[in-house]
Each structure stands twice: as C-alpha cells, then as structure tokens.
Amino acid sequence: MIKVKNLYHSYSNDENYAVYDVSFEIGKGEIFGFLGPSGAGKSTTQNILVGLLQLQKGEVEVAGYDIKHIKNEMFNKIGMSFEQSNVYNKMSGLENLEFYRKLFDVKTKDPMELIKLVGLDGKENIKAGKYSKGMKHRLTFARSMINNPEIWFLDEPTTGLDPAIASNIKDIIKQENEKGVTIFLTTHNMYIADELCDRVAFIVDGKIRLIDSPKELKLKYGEKLVEVEYFKDNILIKDKFSTVLEEEKDRLTDVIHNCDIQTMHTKEATLEEIFIKVTGRELV
C-alpha cells in the first residue's frame, strides 16, 4: 500500500536534510508506527506521503499512485488526522463534516454517526471555534474517516485527550484496522505504538535506525527478568531475577520454596527503553 525508497528532503534546498535516505514498505492491513522525538522527520515524511510537501528526491508510491504525479483519485483513498487541528471555527462540528464530505467522489460516512463515534453528540451544532482543544482534535479525527479511507494517516491521534477518550480513539483505530484499513501512525508515544502497531520504525535526525515488530524488539533488546516481592525473616524484600542465568534461576527457586511470596511478575523492556538503547536519544 505504501512504498518509500531512498527518500530525501531538505527545507533549505541543500544537503541539510530533514529526511535522509529513508526507505520502507507497508503492506495492506498493517499498522505501521513511525516513532521518534520532535524534529526527527516524522511529519516531514508523512506530509510527503499525503502530498502536502513536494517530493524532492526518492521514490514514493501510495495506494498505487506515484507521488511524483499525484492524481485526485488518490485523495479518495486516504484519510489524514493532523496533530494540530485545522477545523473551520465559524462552522459547527456537523457543518465541518458536511462540508468536507463534498470534497470526495466516493461514498462517505454519515457525519452524525462520526460525531457520535467520537463522543461529540450533543455538541454537533456548536461552532467549532468554541470547542476545547480536545474536542477539536476529536473532530479532526472524525473528519479523517469520512471518505472510508483505505490508507489512514494518523499524527499523534490521542494527544491532549483524557484517558477514557484516548481509549475510545484506540478502539476505533483497532476496529478500522480489522476491516482492512492500512494505518500509518506517527507518534512519540511508545505506549500507544506498542499497543497498536504491527511494526515500528525508529527515526532520529531524519534517518531510520531500525524497523521491526514491538515483540521482536523486546525479545532482542529486552532483559528477561522476574520481579518478586517476598517476606524473609519478617522483612519485605523486592528483588529481580534473571530467567536466563542459571545461578539466578536457582536463587528464584529457593525464594519460591522457602519464602512468603507477595507479588511476582515478569518484566520486559518498554519500547521507550529500547528506543533509548538503540538511538541514544530521549523521546522529547
């Protein structure tokens, strides 16, 4: 569904590249996470894929269309939810969606159903300019679905949302993906990426450092540990045991047989910990 080969982009039209020799492919029905800190090149890459930035160097194909020669039909197949909401403030939420659906040449979703889906029902007739930041973000998210996109570009889809609403948004993403929608997710939130993505790419300073599934990354870079809380001689002890080293496994066995276990759980590295290990950079 998406093919990118040797992509470069410079805002100053010189060799100061914001994106440097980026290559990847995304298959149909895949959720692909593009992960990195602010300024890493995530939005630049995404904006090239959706036609907001002109392709300077490289090869890019989206939904079967060559980005060098964009055709209007491509926009019927893609949806885009921006991190910064760009709604029409003088229109109501419902009017925003009604207006936007007229831009497409394909069957569109019922705007009122989308309003309800993102929890804005009862507020559909309020002007968007009076919406909170989170409400505008949900309206932008709903708008990105209106043309039933085959490829869905999501830029920080849960940013600024309270946990309950963010959970609802993640459920919607999962439901659309189950219908076969391909999703390109840009974020610096490793937790949402871990929960949703089939594969992730780590990008820093415009360069991709690695691409793999969250599971494989954890197996490759994560330590295999068990964290245990137990009482020994009436003292509560917290300890970690390797499940790889024989002496550590023997120690754990001894604790299990001879101590009063309070809690026990395996510990795996988070994507954020792996990102820092691989790139040497914090997610800021």
Side-chain angles (χ1 to χ4, degrees):
M1 296 296 283
I2 296 176
K3 297 179 181 179
V4 177
K5 185 177 181 181
N6 306 125
L7 177 65
Y8 292 79
H9 190 86
S10 171
Y11 288 99
S12 50
N13 292 312
D14 54 22
E15 294 187 357
N16 183 25
Y17 291 109
V19 171
Y20 185 92
D21 197 22
V22 164
S23 299
F24 59 88
E25 293 190 12
I26 305 174
K28 180 174 175 57
E30 185 175 13
I31 302 182
F32 186 83
F34 212 52
L35 315 181
S38 298
K42 302 189 303 295
S43 294
T44 298
T45 302
Q46 180 177 251
N47 288 342
I48 294 169
L49 297 184
V50 300
L52 290 177
L53 279 177
Q54 185 175 7
L55 176 64
Q56 295 177 346
K57 183 179 178 181
E59 300 175 17
V60 178
E61 184 179 300
V62 176
Y65 294 92
D66 185 346
I67 290 296
K68 289 180 181 177
H69 311 287
I70 296 179
K71 296 183 179 181
N72 288 336
E73 291 87 350
M74 185 188 83
F75 297 104
N76 287 324
K77 295 186 175 184
I78 67 173
M80 174 72 207
S81 180
F82 298 91
E83 179 182 9
Q84 300 297 327
S85 302
N86 55 346
V87 298
Y88 292 104
N89 287 330
K90 293 186 178 180
M91 291 183 180
S92 70
L94 185 58
E95 288 171 339
N96 265 273
L97 298 185
E98 290 284 5
F99 174 79
Y100 193 66
R101 75 189 301 196
K102 296 175 183 177
L103 301 178
F104 297 97
D105 300 321
V106 294
K107 184 178 179 181
T108 55
K109 293 183 184 292
D110 182 346
M112 197 58 215
E113 288 185 6
L114 290 175
I115 289 283
K116 292 177 180 177
L117 188 66
V118 297
L120 289 175
D121 44 318
K123 301 176 179 66
E124 66 272 11
N125 294 318
I126 298 174
K127 291 187 183 299
K130 294 184 178 180
Y131 279 10
S132 67
K133 183 178 179 180
M135 291 167 65
K136 287 182 179 180
H137 192 76
R138 281 185 276 164
L139 182 61
T140 302
F141 180 82
R143 187 184 63 188
S144 70
M145 301 175 65
I146 202 161
N147 58 315
N148 297 291
E150 296 178 19
I151 303 178
W152 199 12
F153 293 90
L154 301 176
D155 191 0
E156 303 289 0
T158 61
T159 186
L161 302 179
D162 68 48
I165 296 173
S167 178
N168 181 47
I169 294 297
K170 286 186 287 186
D171 286 342
I172 295 170
I173 294 170
K174 292 174 184 176
Q175 290 163 11
E176 291 301 305
N177 178 244
E178 288 172 359
K179 298 175 184 176
V181 176
T182 304
I183 298 170
F184 184 85
L185 171 69
T186 59
T187 185
H188 66 272
N189 185 328
M190 294 293 165
Y191 297 101
I192 184 175
D194 193 2
E195 182 177 349
L196 295 177
C197 294
D198 298 303
R199 287 189 301 143
V200 296
F202 288 173
I203 182 169
V204 173
D205 297 329
K207 300 177 183 178
I208 290 182
R209 298 296 180 89
L210 60 75
I211 299 176
D212 212 332
S213 70
K215 180 179 179 180
E216 288 301 318
L217 288 173
K218 290 175 184 178
L219 290 174
K220 184 175 182 180
Y221 294 98
E223 295 181 88
K224 296 180 179 180
L225 300 174
V226 174
E227 290 186 332
V228 184
E229 285 187 338
Y230 60 93
F231 278 106
K232 184 174 183 179
D233 298 328
N234 294 319
I235 299 173
L236 182 63
I237 299 173
K238 294 182 180 180
D239 209 344
K240 294 179 182 178
F241 301 86
S242 168
T243 59
V244 177
L245 302 175
E246 287 301 324
E247 61 269 27
E248 290 285 290
K249 289 195 287 184
D250 289 342
R251 264 200 331 122
L252 176 58
T253 301
D254 181 67
V255 167
I256 291 172
H257 286 146
N258 299 302
C259 300
D260 182 11
I261 306 293
Q262 299 299 299
T263 64
M264 178 186 294
H265 61 270
T266 57
K267 184 182 186 302
E268 61 182 13
T270 65
L271 273 188
E272 184 165 357
E273 290 170 338
I274 295 169
F275 183 91
I276 293 169
K277 180 181 288 188
V278 170
T279 69
R281 293 285 297 274
E282 298 278 348
L283 282 165
V284 293

